[in-house]
Amino acid sequence: MDLERGGVGNGSGSSPGERKDSGRAVLTLAYQSLGVVYGDLSTSPLYVYKNTYAEDIEHSEMNKDIYGVLSFVFWTLTLVPLLKYVLIVLRADDNGEGGTFALYSLLCRHAGVGFLPNGQLADEELSTYKKVDGGGAALPSGSVTAASTVKTPLELQRLLLILALIGTSMVIGDGVLTPAISVFSAVSGLELSMSKEQHKYVEVPVACLILVALFALQHYETHRVRFLFAPIVVTWLLCISMIGVYNIFHWNPHVYQALSPYYMYKFLKETQRRGWMSLGGILLCITGSEVMFADLGHFSQLSIQIAFTSMVYPSLILAYMGQAAYLSKHHIIESDYRIGFYVSVPVLAIAILAAVVGSHAIITGTFSIIKQCSALSCFPRVKIIHTSSKVHGQIYIPEINWVLMILCLAVTVSFRDTKRLGNASGLAVIAVMLVTTCLMSLVIVLCRHKSIFLAVYFIVFFGTIEALYFSASLVKFLEGAWVPIALSFIFMIIMYVWHYGTLKKYKFDIQNKVSIDWLLSLGPNLGIVRVRAIGLIHTELVSGIPAIVSHFVTNLPAFHQVLVFLCIKSVPVPYVRPEERFLVGRIGPKEYRVYRCIARYGYHDIHKDDLEFEDLVCSIAEFIRSGVSRPSAIAEQSEKDDDRMAVVAAGIRMCEEDADLGDEIGTLGGREIQSPVTRRKKKVRFMLPESPHMDANAREELQELMDAREAGMAFILGHANVRAKSGSGLIKRFVINVGYNFLRRNCRNPTYAVSVPHASTLEVGMVYDV
């Protein structure tokens, strides 16, 4: 499946970081971003005032409390979403991608930290790996940066990993809590049309029914319904802003005075501890701000900035001012639950639709960040389904979807009110923002090469604001705030155990790999019979021979005519260009017919289906034809001079056509071979160029590769039984023997293992004492 990498509606197929949008395209993206990015943020007026006045402060006859709350809402919206995210954080993109793991990826590259110790010099030559200076210009590949000259302490590596895992786990928790509070608050509008006794029996079932329908529809191709998202959010924003203007002029035209920061000071001075605790409700006005940065790769920086400053920000300010104006003239409220949103803005139907749109956005955002974690060995492998063949980034993860639905329903049924749901959601939101602030301060120094005083100013200014809100939310631990902490703790343990076990397994492979000298000592036939076929040996190693080869040679009397050691690795970049995908090298002399191929993927790349194996063979063929000594080859030295790797773009192609078609392809000679890994009946032509300048040895080697490919491909996979070695501590034995092995048994197989036919697969078992 060849999906486009552009933003919504972008048909260029280029990566987002390289897209040069015209004015019309930017405005189109800005309009579309309203439905995808701002659904959650725009529905926050549904529950902010109701949660703020839940118990901490009372709605008195004086307007000081109303003005104080409005002043806090205004300046919070101005300083966090507008100043921090729109004007500063959006500029810290990773080749057009945003989010917690984009910042983590930037830091990993510039601070010399890797997810696994499999980095190579050739990876730094990738187009998307180039270091960027403070002005945004790519540095020369040979230049030395301050970050690259300092060896990163182990403590910093662990700190970066823990921060990334905390942010990710809180985003997953937000994926549970945001749909619950958004839908529940939208449905709460029914309370105005029935008595409270009847309402409490209707609200929860209706909210649960909407949530079940929301999660059940996630697997459908979202581009078919996403065209409705922007009109819904635009209608919603226009409704709340126009009603807000009406409430301002009708009830209290002087409410604009509350925009002065003096009312914040006055509010805290008079309410003291109760006012500080009410900040947990005010905090909810910025829920969804992180989505602006997380969805940066689907749109563009300018389009998101235009949408927020021209539509979202003024509409929200007018809506909150309108609510405050209404409440300032209605001091006597019959019931506490009637102080909510709908008493001043009676738009129930569009509110429910807007809540569904906002919930959909946070759920798909959760899928996206889990995909990134899985690609970087920080989350167990899950099944990823791309729901759109036209728009990159629209994915669906069945296991995560149903887990989120169960947790979301459990939280909704258990809490049954927006107060505790708001406490839980607020803590998750502000925790993610704190993580972003910490990572961003490191990016300012290590990646943008700015003054350390600028980074300190950034983290002190925004960190103080967010720490104030975080403390107010944490105080309500027993009143719902424990939920995101419990959820994030569970998901963080899962991610850390998976990453720890994967790292220990890789280090065991390195320590027990077979030297190339051992392979060369076996002779051209590897000491055994060579049968006509291609043997594809999967390994995690980027150099050396995996230990499973010695087990294979010991137990089987034959090897394949052509051997390919295939390593599928993730690199800390969002995308790898197709022409830079394969790093190909030769192991031993030419007559051995042993090759190494490293397929490199970014954390946002889509792993192709079985046709990737055809690209692999074509890249090896191009490597043979051109040779590693050509000037344009990017080479690196491994253990031996004969193990040189070169970036190879497939120049010799395998062309496919339906079995019932007999059209000739080009004028070059070729031989038809049947692909053993295709799911439908195809004919594949391996095109050998008729070049009189081709070396005779290279032509012979190509012919042998073609003959071996025609005979078929066998896939040799290692089956690891991982266990803690004797003498390990109790915690390590529990983590490896129980936790990691449980996750390995219950997670999905790797992508390459899914697409290979079982009849052509050989598994070689090994015990890993880590």
Side-chain angles (χ1 to χ4, degrees):
M1 183 184 295
D2 188 12
L3 302 188
E4 297 177 4
R5 294 180 180 174
V8 177
N10 178 24
S12 64
S14 60
S15 67
E18 300 172 347
R19 190 174 58 237
K20 296 186 181 297
D21 295 323
S22 62
R24 182 178 179 181
V26 169
L27 294 178
T28 301
L29 288 174
Y31 170 74
Q32 293 172 337
S33 70
L34 291 171
V36 178
V37 176
Y38 296 108
D40 186 15
L41 182 61
S42 63
T43 54
S44 57
L46 286 171
Y47 40 78
V48 169
Y49 279 100
K50 187 173 182 180
N51 277 69
T52 303
Y53 285 95
E55 289 181 359
D56 304 315
I57 56 176
E58 296 179 357
H59 182 43
S60 63
E61 294 185 2
M62 302 297 293
N63 289 332
K64 296 178 182 178
D65 58 320
I66 292 291
Y67 282 20
V69 171
L70 176 59
S71 184
F72 264 104
V73 169
F74 171 76
W75 286 105
T76 303
L77 277 171
T78 302
L79 294 178
V80 179
L82 181 60
L83 179 59
K84 176 187 172 182
Y85 281 96
V86 172
L87 299 182
I88 300 177
V89 176
L90 284 182
R91 300 176 182 272
D93 62 290
D94 182 13
N95 292 282
E97 295 297 324
T100 302
F101 258 83
L103 296 178
Y104 180 52
S105 174
L106 275 174
L107 291 170
C108 285
R109 296 208 304 273
H110 290 78
V113 181
F115 312 108
L116 292 176
N118 60 356
Q120 298 173 281
L121 293 177
D123 295 339
E124 299 184 16
E125 298 294 336
L126 291 169
S127 301
T128 49
Y129 202 100
K130 299 295 185 181
K131 295 178 175 62
V132 178
D133 65 11
L139 294 177
S141 58
S143 64
V144 180
T145 63
S148 62
T149 59
V150 180
K151 182 175 177 59
T152 305
L154 182 61
E155 291 76 12
L156 178 57
Q157 298 182 29
R158 291 175 176 172
L159 175 63
L160 290 177
L161 177 62
I162 291 175
L163 282 175
L165 295 184
I166 290 176
T168 302
S169 59
M170 283 294 179
V171 169
I172 298 174
D174 196 23
V176 173
L177 297 167
T178 295
I181 188 174
S182 297
V183 173
F184 194 88
S185 299
V187 173
S188 65
L190 296 172
E191 64 192 4
L192 299 179
S193 60
M194 58 183 68
S195 65
K196 187 173 182 179
E197 290 72 18
Q198 295 175 329
H199 171 256
K200 64 181 180 180
Y201 295 109
V202 174
E203 188 176 39
V204 174
V206 172
C208 290
L209 185 63
I210 294 175
L211 288 172
V212 170
L214 172 64
F215 284 98
L217 295 176
Q218 286 292 322
H219 70 282
Y220 287 103
E221 292 192 20
T222 53
H223 75 276
R224 295 181 178 177
V225 295
R226 271 198 175 188
F227 73 94
L228 293 174
F229 288 0
I232 290 174
V233 175
V234 168
T235 304
W236 164 255
L237 290 173
L238 290 176
C239 284
I240 62 175
S241 59
M242 288 188 296
I243 296 177
V245 171
Y246 170 80
N247 286 334
I248 292 171
F249 285 98
H250 183 74
W251 297 111
N252 188 356
H254 301 289
V255 74
Y256 70 89
Q257 298 175 357
L259 303 184
S260 170
Y262 169 73
Y263 286 94
M264 290 192 294
Y265 165 76
K266 197 171 183 180
F267 173 76
L268 289 179
K269 182 180 179 181
E270 294 187 1
T271 57
Q272 297 182 356
R273 186 176 184 275
R274 293 181 297 106
W276 167 64
M277 292 181 64
S278 70
L279 295 181
I282 298 174
L283 160 68
L284 298 176
C285 71
I286 55 176
T287 57
S289 300
E290 188 74 20
V291 180
M292 287 191 289
F293 184 45
D295 280 348
L296 180 60
H298 297 164
F299 300 95
S300 67
Q301 176 185 328
L302 184 58
S303 64
I304 292 178
Q305 291 172 332
I306 290 175
F308 182 81
T309 55
S310 65
M311 186 72 182
V312 179
Y313 179 75
S315 297
L316 290 177
I317 297 299
L318 290 174
Y320 286 118
M321 289 179 65
Q323 286 182 267
Y326 178 89
L327 295 175
S328 67
K329 297 301 180 181
H330 294 78
H331 301 295
I332 301 176
I333 304 295
E334 298 87 348
S335 302
D336 56 350
Y337 70 92
R338 296 179 66 88
I339 199 174
F341 173 79
Y342 290 104
V343 293
S344 59
V345 188
V347 282
L348 177 61
I350 190 65
I352 294 177
L353 290 176
V356 169
V357 170
S359 301
H360 174 86
I362 194 65
I363 293 170
T364 54
T366 305
F367 293 159
S368 179
I369 198 168
I370 288 178
K371 176 182 179 293
Q372 296 177 34
C373 292
S374 181
L376 299 177
S377 303
C378 290
F379 199 89
R381 292 182 297 267
V382 290
K383 182 179 181 181
I384 298 174
I385 301 173
H386 296 270
T387 58
S388 174
S389 59
K390 298 181 179 179
V391 181
H392 175 80
Q394 295 184 6
I395 62 174
Y396 170 70
I397 304 177
E399 300 95 332
I400 301 300
N401 184 69
W402 302 125
V403 168
L404 292 179
M405 186 189 76
I406 293 173
L407 294 175
C408 189
L409 291 175
V411 169
T412 303
V413 173
S414 299
F415 285 169
R416 294 172 177 264
D417 65 76
T418 56
K419 174 194 169 185
R420 287 183 290 179
L421 284 173
N423 294 338
S425 179
L427 184 63
V429 168
I430 200 64
V432 176
M433 292 182 177
L434 275 171
V435 170
T436 300
T437 300
C438 295
L439 293 177
M440 184 63 195
S441 63
L442 294 174
V443 168
I444 291 174
V445 176
L446 296 177
C447 305
R448 302 298 175 185
H449 313 296
K450 300 293 186 180
S451 171
I452 191 172
F453 296 103
L454 183 61
V456 171
Y457 177 78
F458 179 86
I459 195 171
V460 169
F461 182 77
F462 292 107
T464 301
I465 297 173
E466 292 161 358
L468 178 65
Y469 282 114
F470 182 79
S471 62
S473 298
L474 195 60
V475 169
K476 301 179 180 180
F477 180 83
L478 298 178
E479 300 176 18
W482 62 270
V483 173
I485 295 178
L487 290 175
S488 63
F489 179 77
I490 294 172
F491 283 108
M492 187 174 176
I493 290 296
I494 292 174
M495 290 187 288
Y496 190 83
V497 166
W498 181 262
H499 181 76
Y500 178 80
T502 303
L503 184 61
K504 288 296 183 182
K505 179 177 175 292
Y506 184 81
K507 288 183 177 179
F508 179 89
D509 280 332
I510 294 178
Q511 295 169 359
N512 294 272
K513 65 183 179 181
V514 179
S515 67
I516 296 179
D517 290 332
W518 172 83
L519 183 70
L520 300 181
S521 66
L522 298 178
N525 289 328
L526 303 183
I528 51 180
V529 178
R530 304 291 293 272
V531 297
R532 184 167 170 259
I534 293 180
L536 198 63
I537 304 173
H538 181 268
T539 174
E540 300 291 340
L541 299 177
V542 295
S543 64
I545 309 299
I548 62 172
V549 175
S550 61
H551 286 254
F552 191 95
V553 173
T554 303
N555 293 279
L556 292 177
F559 240 136
H560 302 90
Q561 178 183 4
V562 175
L563 288 180
V564 179
F565 290 94
L566 174 63
C567 173
I568 300 177
K569 62 179 286 190
S570 295
V571 289
V573 296
Y575 303 101
V576 176
R577 294 173 178 270
E579 60 270 20
E580 299 175 332
R581 175 84 61 210
F582 293 107
L583 193 63
V584 183
R586 192 192 308 275
I587 301 178
K590 290 184 178 181
E591 58 269 19
Y592 279 60
R593 304 297 191 251
V594 181
Y595 309 94
R596 184 190 309 284
C597 184
I598 301 173
R600 302 174 293 183
Y601 289 89
Y603 56 83
H604 263 315
D605 266 326
I606 300 170
H607 288 238
K608 294 182 180 180
D609 55 14
D610 50 276
L611 296 180
E612 188 78 9
F613 296 113
E614 308 297 351
D615 293 339
L616 168 66
V617 177
C618 293
S619 297
I620 296 174
E622 177 65 18
F623 171 82
I624 295 171
R625 185 187 67 82
S626 58
V628 297
S629 59
R630 60 193 176 115
S632 60
I634 303 171
E636 74 169 27
Q637 199 74 9
S638 184
E639 297 183 29
K640 290 286 184 179
D641 290 341
D642 56 351
D643 192 20
R644 300 171 65 189
M645 307 292 292
V647 176
V648 176
I652 299 177
R653 304 300 303 171
M654 283 190 177
C655 301
E656 300 171 6
E657 57 183 358
D658 294 335
D660 56 346
L661 297 178
D663 298 339
E664 295 183 359
I665 304 177
T667 60
L668 299 177
R671 183 184 302 181
E672 294 183 4
I673 56 177
Q674 185 65 35
S675 172
V677 294
T678 51
R679 295 194 180 107
R680 68 178 188 268
K681 190 176 180 182
K682 293 180 179 178
K683 289 183 180 180
V684 182
R685 293 175 183 251
F686 194 177
M687 310 306 295
L688 278 182
E690 298 290 347
S691 174
H693 303 291
M694 182 181 293
D695 181 76
N697 292 331
R699 183 173 295 279
E700 179 184 354
E701 193 173 359
L702 278 173
Q703 186 64 46
E704 190 168 346
L705 176 66
M706 185 179 66
D707 293 340
R709 179 64 185 85
E710 184 178 2
M713 295 179 69
F715 302 88
I716 303 171
L717 309 177
H719 182 75
N721 181 17
V722 184
R723 65 188 184 188
K725 55 186 170 184
S726 59
S728 300
L730 178 62
I731 296 179
K732 181 179 179 180
R733 291 202 306 271
F734 179 81
V735 169
I736 296 296
N737 297 343
V738 179
Y740 181 68
N741 280 319
F742 174 81
L743 294 176
R744 288 188 75 246
R745 287 193 300 267
N746 291 277
C747 72
R748 298 276 180 171
N749 290 325
T751 305
Y752 62 84
V754 174
S755 57
V756 299
H758 295 289
S760 303
T761 303
L762 296 174
E763 288 195 8
V764 181
M766 280 193 61
V767 176
Y768 284 62
D769 289 318
V770 300

